[in-house]
Amino acid sequence: MSLPPYGSATFIEPTDPSFTPAKKLKFCKVCGDRAKSYHFGGLSCDSCKAFFRRSVQSAGYKNFQCPYRRTCEITISSRKCCQFCRFQKCVAIGMEKGWVMTEEERLHVLRIRMAKRQEEEEKKIHRRQKIRRENHHADLNEIHKFLTEDDIQCIESIMNSYEVSCLTIAFSSSLCSQHCDRGRTEIIDMFFTVIKQLAHFAQQLRSFAVIPRHDQEILLRSGVMELCFLRSAYVFDE
Amino acid sequence: MSLPPYGSATFIEPTDPSFTPAKKLKFCKVCGDRAKSYHFGGLSCDSCKAFFRRSVQSAGYKNFQCPYRRTCEITISSRKCCQFCRFQKCVAIGMEKGWVMTEEERLHVLRIRMAKRQEEEEKKIHRRQKIRRENHHADLNEIHKFLTEDDIQCIESIMNSYEVSCLTIAFSSSLCSQHCDRGRTEIIDMFFTVIKQLAHFAQQLRSFAVIPRHDQEILLRSGVMELCFLRSAYVFDE
DNA sequence: TTCAGTTCAGAACGTTCA
DNA sequence: TGAACGTTCTGAACTGAA
């Protein structure tokens, strides 16, 4: 085995005058290139690490052949020449095949990572929704920048009418509970009540009340579904 | 020393004056054309690379002869004129015959490649089959949690009827071959047969057989397309 | 910081076709 | 003959967990 040019950094004695807090240079025990740390149990450079991992993962090392006498010297410049001897040396300096993850292990790690990412995504979305809701409140404070006093009064009057309608035409008591599993008839009941509320509300609006009865019916009939959706979105509580 | 099979930027001399931080243009040492990388141990262009490989693979270089004095100057435009001197120069700049793959090596690589591909294909199929089998078994084992004995018997009776229908009304012999490129009439034939099978199958079900003929027809006509799709999904074999 | 894995551009092999 | 392409291998730069 060849020694690293400046001696193995691993065995620096405490009294070694060359020991400085600055840096301890380490070298790949396979090819002599600069090494940063241990890989698979042996001190090696990044390229020898990659070479070893790939060889094991693909099981390609089983097909390596030495064109000479299985004694090739491995250096930075010659390491590509003989895969067989390079791999042999990797094993010789302590790198172990067992430390390379199997396909299953890799998939396992991958799955865990994916799950984590998804969780974080969901958190992000939640945070955004929260911010949006807060901004909504802020917008209401700035409403005077965009609407006149008259506009606001009109809106408030309409909102008032709607509230009155909802109070006037109440839901049947069976629908007031928070029960989630409602039967079919109850759902239909609920829709009927909402539709009645909407009709009542429309009558409160002067511009609606003045048009002919027949036109009123057409308008209500064609818009009631959208209004139900709108109301659903409004009362939806995530 | 032998040259690496793949990838080698290692042989750029550190003292090379042409080395600039901007770009390092490389030129073929044989003919002066632009070179991208080393080939067989020498920096050469693609055409000289191909020329060298062919000459070695066919052993044709042994028959090259120089019509002049074996001192021909090789340039981009003259490189075709004298194979002998071109090959001589290839060797002179470092290209080695030994690095061209022999027929055996090529076959060896080919075989490994084929084996790998096949192995992976098999793995894929295995994995898919395994997953399918697991899902299938799990469901079938838990079937008693969701169905009563009567339910299961009923299902089995229906399955039986279906099988009988399929056997009773057989496909025409021309459709039994595994040929993929079927004509239009054959496809139509196939659909007709399937529809007849479905009608026959429906007649086997008592609850269907007892309803009026006219209603039967309506039911069959409105459901036949979906049933065909369902059957297609069932018999589909990837 | 250490040490797993991942990604990507590039090197250098062979093959095909005009 | 040589351009263009398809393949595999290499190694630098990166992510991510402990």
Side-chain angles (χ1 to χ4, degrees):
Chain A
M1 197 185 69
S2 62
L3 273 178
Y6 302 103
S8 173
T10 340
F11 294 100
I12 289 175
E13 298 154 27
T15 55
D16 190 335
S18 79
F19 179 85
T20 60
K23 259 178 198 173
K24 31 181 180 174
L25 289 180
K26 285 177 284 190
F27 296 93
C28 175
K29 285 187 182 174
V30 179
C31 71
D33 203 353
R34 282 289 306 274
K36 279 186 288 187
S37 60
Y38 279 76
H39 298 291
F40 311 108
L43 184 61
S44 75
C45 64
D46 271 353
S47 60
C48 286
K49 158 196 141 185
F51 167 78
F52 186 79
R53 183 177 38 69
R54 269 194 298 259
S55 303
V56 175
Q57 277 178 344
S58 70
Y61 70 93
K62 290 172 184 168
N63 298 318
F64 289 163
Q65 281 178 344
C66 177
Y68 305 103
R69 297 179 186 184
R70 305 192 165 186
T71 57
C72 302
E73 192 194 6
I74 308 296
T75 66
I76 295 183
S77 52
S78 75
R79 62 191 178 194
K80 278 186 227 164
C81 301
C82 180
Q83 294 178 308
F84 183 93
C85 291
R86 189 182 189 180
F87 190 81
Q88 199 176 37
K89 195 161 177 191
C90 282
V91 173
I93 65 129
M95 297 172 82
E96 291 203 21
K97 297 196 281 283
W99 292 23
V100 175
M101 283 172 146
T102 66
E103 181 136 5
E104 286 140 41
E105 288 172 312
R106 268 170 42 230
L107 285 177
H108 182 70
V109 169
L110 214 75
R111 249 175 263 136
I112 290 177
R113 234 173 248 182
M114 298 268 282
K116 230 177 213 174
R117 238 176 241 175
Q118 202 166 355
E119 203 177 307
E120 264 169 34
E121 278 300 310
E122 276 164 20
K123 264 189 201 165
K124 247 188 209 168
I125 290 169
H126 251 79
R127 241 175 282 145
R128 257 184 234 156
Q129 284 180 341
K130 201 179 162 194
I131 287 170
R132 200 169 299 159
R133 242 176 284 136
E134 285 169 1
N135 284 346
H136 192 246
H137 282 167
D139 285 346
L140 278 185
N141 291 333
E142 294 187 344
I143 205 163
H144 287 282
K145 287 188 189 168
F146 311 105
L147 298 176
T148 66
E149 258 315 307
D150 280 354
D151 290 335
I152 293 172
Q153 281 220 341
C154 177
I155 290 170
E156 273 175 0
S157 146
I158 292 173
M159 285 168 70
N160 229 1
S161 299
Y162 181 71
E163 240 170 272
V164 168
S165 298
C166 288
L167 291 173
T168 308
I169 300 174
F171 286 100
S172 76
S173 58
S174 69
L175 289 172
C176 293
S177 66
Q178 290 284 345
H179 247 18
C180 276
D181 47 337
R182 288 180 177 134
R184 207 177 302 168
T185 49
E186 275 182 310
I187 301 273
I188 292 172
D189 244 34
M190 190 169 70
F191 268 97
F192 267 126
T193 311
V194 170
I195 291 168
K196 273 187 237 159
Q197 285 177 350
L198 289 171
H200 185 276
F201 162 64
Q203 285 298 337
Q204 307 303 110
L205 308 175
R206 191 178 311 169
S207 48
F208 184 87
V210 296
I211 64 175
R213 186 122 201 116
H214 183 244
D215 293 348
Q216 286 186 4
E217 275 172 26
I218 292 177
L219 277 177
L220 268 181
R221 202 166 297 161
S222 60
V224 77
M225 210 59 213
E226 281 74 8
L227 286 168
C228 280
F229 288 148
L230 195 59
R231 186 184 169 283
S232 300
Y234 179 67
V235 301
F236 177 67
D237 177 12
E238 64 171 338
Chain B
M1 192 188 69
S2 125
L3 236 217
Y6 300 103
S8 171
T10 338
F11 289 85
I12 293 174
E13 295 156 30
T15 55
D16 191 336
S18 76
F19 179 87
T20 60
K23 258 183 194 171
K24 25 183 182 172
L25 287 180
K26 286 176 283 189
F27 297 94
C28 175
K29 285 188 182 171
V30 179
C31 70
D33 203 352
R34 283 289 305 275
K36 279 186 290 186
S37 60
Y38 280 76
H39 297 291
F40 311 108
L43 185 60
S44 75
C45 64
D46 271 353
S47 58
C48 287
K49 157 197 140 186
F51 166 78
F52 186 80
R53 183 175 37 69
R54 268 196 298 263
S55 304
V56 174
Q57 275 179 345
S58 70
Y61 70 94
K62 289 172 184 166
N63 300 320
F64 289 161
Q65 282 180 348
C66 178
Y68 308 103
R69 297 180 187 185
R70 305 192 166 185
T71 57
C72 302
E73 193 194 4
I74 308 296
T75 66
I76 295 183
S77 50
S78 75
R79 62 192 179 195
K80 276 189 217 174
C81 300
C82 179
Q83 294 178 309
F84 183 93
C85 289
R86 189 180 189 182
F87 190 81
Q88 198 176 39
K89 194 162 179 192
C90 283
V91 174
I93 64 131
M95 297 170 82
E96 290 205 19
K97 298 193 282 287
W99 301 341
V100 175
M101 283 174 140
T102 66
E103 179 122 12
E104 288 147 40
E105 285 173 313
R106 267 173 41 230
L107 285 177
H108 185 243
V109 168
L110 217 73
R111 244 176 270 134
I112 289 178
R113 222 177 268 176
M114 301 268 282
K116 234 181 211 170
R117 240 175 242 174
Q118 201 163 357
E119 202 178 311
E120 261 169 38
E121 278 301 310
E122 276 166 17
K123 257 191 201 168
K124 250 189 208 165
I125 290 168
H126 249 79
R127 239 176 284 145
R128 262 186 229 155
Q129 283 180 342
K130 201 179 161 196
I131 288 169
R132 197 168 303 159
R133 236 176 290 137
E134 281 171 0
N135 287 344
H136 198 231
H137 279 170
D139 288 344
L140 280 185
N141 289 335
E142 292 188 345
I143 206 164
H144 287 279
K145 288 188 188 167
F146 310 108
L147 299 176
T148 66
E149 260 313 305
D150 280 354
D151 291 337
I152 293 173
Q153 282 218 341
C154 177
I155 290 170
E156 272 173 5
S157 145
I158 293 173
M159 285 167 71
N160 230 1
S161 300
Y162 181 71
E163 239 170 90
V164 169
S165 298
C166 288
L167 291 174
T168 309
I169 299 175
F171 286 100
S172 74
S173 58
S174 69
L175 289 172
C176 291
S177 64
Q178 289 286 345
H179 247 22
C180 276
D181 45 338
R182 289 184 176 131
R184 207 179 301 168
T185 49
E186 276 182 310
I187 300 273
I188 292 171
D189 243 34
M190 191 169 69
F191 267 98
F192 267 127
T193 311
V194 170
I195 291 168
K196 273 187 238 160
Q197 286 177 349
L198 290 170
H200 185 276
F201 163 64
Q203 284 298 336
Q204 308 303 112
L205 307 174
R206 191 177 311 167
S207 48
F208 184 86
V210 296
I211 65 176
R213 185 119 203 119
H214 182 245
D215 293 348
Q216 286 186 3
E217 275 171 26
I218 292 176
L219 277 178
L220 269 181
R221 201 165 300 159
S222 60
V224 76
M225 210 59 212
E226 280 76 8
L227 285 170
C228 281
F229 288 149
L230 194 59
R231 186 183 168 284
S232 300
Y234 179 66
V235 301
F236 177 65
D237 176 11
E238 63 173 338

Short mmCIF file of all heavy atoms in Angstrom, two decimals, chain A residues 37-40 49 53 101, chain C residues 2-8:
data_model
loop_
_atom_site.label_atom_id
_atom_site.label_comp_id
_atom_site.label_asym_id
_atom_site.label_seq_id
_atom_site.Cartn_x
_atom_site.Cartn_y
_atom_site.Cartn_z
N SER A 37 -13.32 12.98 3.10
CA SER A 37 -13.77 12.19 4.24
C SER A 37 -13.80 10.71 3.89
O SER A 37 -13.47 10.31 2.78
CB SER A 37 -15.17 12.63 4.66
OG SER A 37 -16.06 12.45 3.59
N TYR A 38 -14.23 9.88 4.84
CA TYR A 38 -14.35 8.45 4.61
C TYR A 38 -15.60 8.15 3.81
O TYR A 38 -16.62 8.84 3.97
CB TYR A 38 -14.40 7.71 5.94
CG TYR A 38 -13.03 7.51 6.55
CD1 TYR A 38 -12.37 8.56 7.16
CD2 TYR A 38 -12.41 6.27 6.50
CE1 TYR A 38 -11.12 8.39 7.70
CE2 TYR A 38 -11.15 6.08 7.05
CZ TYR A 38 -10.51 7.15 7.65
OH TYR A 38 -9.27 6.96 8.18
N HIS A 39 -15.51 7.14 2.96
CA HIS A 39 -16.68 6.70 2.21
C HIS A 39 -16.76 5.19 2.23
O HIS A 39 -15.79 4.52 1.86
CB HIS A 39 -16.61 7.20 0.76
CG HIS A 39 -16.62 8.70 0.65
ND1 HIS A 39 -17.72 9.45 0.96
CD2 HIS A 39 -15.64 9.57 0.30
CE1 HIS A 39 -17.43 10.73 0.78
NE2 HIS A 39 -16.17 10.83 0.39
N PHE A 40 -17.87 4.68 2.65
CA PHE A 40 -18.10 3.24 2.69
C PHE A 40 -17.01 2.52 3.49
O PHE A 40 -16.70 1.37 3.22
CB PHE A 40 -18.18 2.66 1.27
CG PHE A 40 -19.11 3.43 0.38
CD1 PHE A 40 -18.61 4.23 -0.64
CD2 PHE A 40 -20.48 3.38 0.59
CE1 PHE A 40 -19.47 4.95 -1.44
CE2 PHE A 40 -21.34 4.10 -0.22
CZ PHE A 40 -20.83 4.89 -1.24
N LYS A 49 -15.12 7.36 -4.62
CA LYS A 49 -16.37 7.07 -3.92
C LYS A 49 -17.47 6.78 -4.93
O LYS A 49 -18.17 5.76 -4.85
CB LYS A 49 -16.78 8.29 -3.08
CG LYS A 49 -18.24 8.35 -2.73
CD LYS A 49 -18.64 9.75 -2.25
CE LYS A 49 -19.99 10.18 -2.76
NZ LYS A 49 -20.35 11.56 -2.41
N ARG A 53 -19.40 3.21 -5.51
CA ARG A 53 -20.85 3.10 -5.34
C ARG A 53 -21.51 2.57 -6.60
O ARG A 53 -22.29 1.63 -6.56
CB ARG A 53 -21.44 4.46 -4.97
CG ARG A 53 -22.95 4.39 -4.70
CD ARG A 53 -23.54 5.71 -4.27
NE ARG A 53 -22.97 6.86 -4.95
CZ ARG A 53 -23.15 7.11 -6.23
NH1 ARG A 53 -23.88 6.32 -6.97
NH2 ARG A 53 -22.60 8.18 -6.78
N MET A 101 -26.05 1.46 -0.25
CA MET A 101 -27.47 1.16 -0.07
C MET A 101 -28.00 0.25 -1.18
O MET A 101 -27.65 0.42 -2.33
CB MET A 101 -28.27 2.46 -0.11
CG MET A 101 -28.18 3.26 1.16
SD MET A 101 -28.97 4.84 0.89
CE MET A 101 -29.66 5.14 2.49
P DT C 2 -15.30 17.03 8.55
OP1 DT C 2 -14.07 16.57 9.18
OP2 DT C 2 -15.28 17.72 7.25
"O5'" DT C 2 -16.28 15.77 8.42
"C5'" DT C 2 -16.74 15.13 9.61
"C4'" DT C 2 -17.75 14.06 9.26
"O4'" DT C 2 -19.03 14.66 8.96
"C3'" DT C 2 -17.37 13.22 8.03
"O3'" DT C 2 -17.51 11.85 8.37
"C2'" DT C 2 -18.38 13.64 6.97
"C1'" DT C 2 -19.56 14.06 7.80
N1 DT C 2 -20.47 15.07 7.19
C2 DT C 2 -21.83 14.87 7.28
O2 DT C 2 -22.32 13.90 7.83
N3 DT C 2 -22.59 15.86 6.71
C4 DT C 2 -22.14 17.00 6.07
O4 DT C 2 -22.92 17.81 5.60
C5 DT C 2 -20.71 17.15 6.01
C7 DT C 2 -20.13 18.35 5.34
C6 DT C 2 -19.96 16.19 6.57
P DC C 3 -16.86 10.71 7.47
OP1 DC C 3 -16.49 9.60 8.36
OP2 DC C 3 -15.84 11.33 6.59
"O5'" DC C 3 -18.07 10.24 6.56
"C5'" DC C 3 -19.20 9.67 7.20
"C4'" DC C 3 -20.35 9.61 6.23
"O4'" DC C 3 -20.82 10.93 5.93
"C3'" DC C 3 -20.01 8.98 4.86
"O3'" DC C 3 -21.02 8.06 4.53
"C2'" DC C 3 -20.04 10.17 3.93
"C1'" DC C 3 -21.15 10.97 4.57
N1 DC C 3 -21.27 12.39 4.13
C2 DC C 3 -22.54 12.97 4.05
O2 DC C 3 -23.52 12.27 4.35
N3 DC C 3 -22.64 14.24 3.64
C4 DC C 3 -21.56 14.95 3.33
N4 DC C 3 -21.72 16.21 2.93
C5 DC C 3 -20.25 14.38 3.42
C6 DC C 3 -20.15 13.11 3.82
P DA C 4 -20.63 6.69 3.86
OP1 DA C 4 -19.99 5.84 4.85
OP2 DA C 4 -19.92 7.06 2.61
"O5'" DA C 4 -22.04 6.06 3.48
"C5'" DA C 4 -22.55 6.25 2.19
"C4'" DA C 4 -23.98 6.69 2.28
"O4'" DA C 4 -24.05 7.97 2.94
"C3'" DA C 4 -24.62 6.92 0.91
"O3'" DA C 4 -25.22 5.73 0.48
"C2'" DA C 4 -25.64 8.00 1.19
"C1'" DA C 4 -24.98 8.82 2.28
N9 DA C 4 -24.22 9.96 1.77
C8 DA C 4 -22.86 10.08 1.68
N7 DA C 4 -22.46 11.23 1.19
C5 DA C 4 -23.63 11.91 0.92
C6 DA C 4 -23.90 13.19 0.40
N6 DA C 4 -22.95 14.05 0.03
N1 DA C 4 -25.18 13.56 0.26
C2 DA C 4 -26.14 12.71 0.64
N3 DA C 4 -26.02 11.48 1.16
C4 DA C 4 -24.73 11.13 1.28
P DG C 5 -25.19 5.43 -1.05
OP1 DG C 5 -25.68 4.06 -1.23
OP2 DG C 5 -23.87 5.83 -1.55
"O5'" DG C 5 -26.27 6.43 -1.64
"C5'" DG C 5 -27.58 6.46 -1.09
"C4'" DG C 5 -28.31 7.65 -1.65
"O4'" DG C 5 -27.54 8.84 -1.34
"C3'" DG C 5 -28.43 7.60 -3.18
"O3'" DG C 5 -29.73 7.97 -3.58
"C2'" DG C 5 -27.41 8.60 -3.66
"C1'" DG C 5 -27.32 9.59 -2.51
N9 DG C 5 -25.99 10.19 -2.46
C8 DG C 5 -24.81 9.58 -2.12
N7 DG C 5 -23.77 10.39 -2.22
C5 DG C 5 -24.31 11.59 -2.64
C6 DG C 5 -23.68 12.83 -2.93
O6 DG C 5 -22.48 13.12 -2.87
N1 DG C 5 -24.60 13.79 -3.34
C2 DG C 5 -25.95 13.58 -3.45
N2 DG C 5 -26.69 14.62 -3.86
N3 DG C 5 -26.55 12.44 -3.19
C4 DG C 5 -25.67 11.48 -2.79
P DT C 6 -30.10 7.91 -5.11
OP1 DT C 6 -31.54 7.61 -5.17
OP2 DT C 6 -29.13 7.05 -5.82
"O5'" DT C 6 -29.89 9.40 -5.64
"C5'" DT C 6 -30.56 10.47 -4.99
"C4'" DT C 6 -30.44 11.71 -5.86
"O4'" DT C 6 -29.12 12.29 -5.70
"C3'" DT C 6 -30.62 11.44 -7.36
"O3'" DT C 6 -31.53 12.41 -7.87
"C2'" DT C 6 -29.21 11.57 -7.94
"C1'" DT C 6 -28.55 12.55 -6.97
N1 DT C 6 -27.08 12.39 -6.79
C2 DT C 6 -26.26 13.47 -6.99
O2 DT C 6 -26.66 14.57 -7.33
N3 DT C 6 -24.92 13.22 -6.79
C4 DT C 6 -24.33 12.04 -6.42
O4 DT C 6 -23.13 11.94 -6.26
C5 DT C 6 -25.26 10.94 -6.22
C7 DT C 6 -24.72 9.61 -5.82
C6 DT C 6 -26.57 11.17 -6.42
P DT C 7 -31.98 12.39 -9.39
OP1 DT C 7 -33.36 12.88 -9.44
OP2 DT C 7 -31.63 11.08 -9.99
"O5'" DT C 7 -31.04 13.51 -10.04
"C5'" DT C 7 -30.84 14.71 -9.32
"C4'" DT C 7 -29.95 15.65 -10.13
"O4'" DT C 7 -28.56 15.38 -9.84
"C3'" DT C 7 -30.11 15.53 -11.64
"O3'" DT C 7 -30.16 16.83 -12.19
"C2'" DT C 7 -28.86 14.76 -12.07
"C1'" DT C 7 -27.84 15.22 -11.05
N1 DT C 7 -26.74 14.28 -10.74
C2 DT C 7 -25.45 14.77 -10.63
O2 DT C 7 -25.18 15.95 -10.78
N3 DT C 7 -24.50 13.84 -10.32
C4 DT C 7 -24.69 12.49 -10.12
O4 DT C 7 -23.75 11.77 -9.85
C5 DT C 7 -26.05 12.04 -10.25
C7 DT C 7 -26.36 10.59 -10.06
C6 DT C 7 -27.00 12.94 -10.55
P DC C 8 -30.65 17.07 -13.68
OP1 DC C 8 -31.49 18.27 -13.65
OP2 DC C 8 -31.13 15.81 -14.27
"O5'" DC C 8 -29.27 17.47 -14.39
"C5'" DC C 8 -28.41 18.41 -13.76
"C4'" DC C 8 -27.09 18.46 -14.46
"O4'" DC C 8 -26.24 17.39 -13.95
"C3'" DC C 8 -27.19 18.24 -15.97
"O3'" DC C 8 -26.34 19.16 -16.63
"C2'" DC C 8 -26.69 16.81 -16.16
"C1'" DC C 8 -25.66 16.71 -15.04
N1 DC C 8 -25.36 15.33 -14.61
C2 DC C 8 -24.07 15.03 -14.16
O2 DC C 8 -23.23 15.92 -14.14
N3 DC C 8 -23.79 13.76 -13.77
C4 DC C 8 -24.74 12.82 -13.81
N4 DC C 8 -24.42 11.60 -13.42
C5 DC C 8 -26.06 13.11 -14.27
C6 DC C 8 -26.32 14.37 -14.65
#
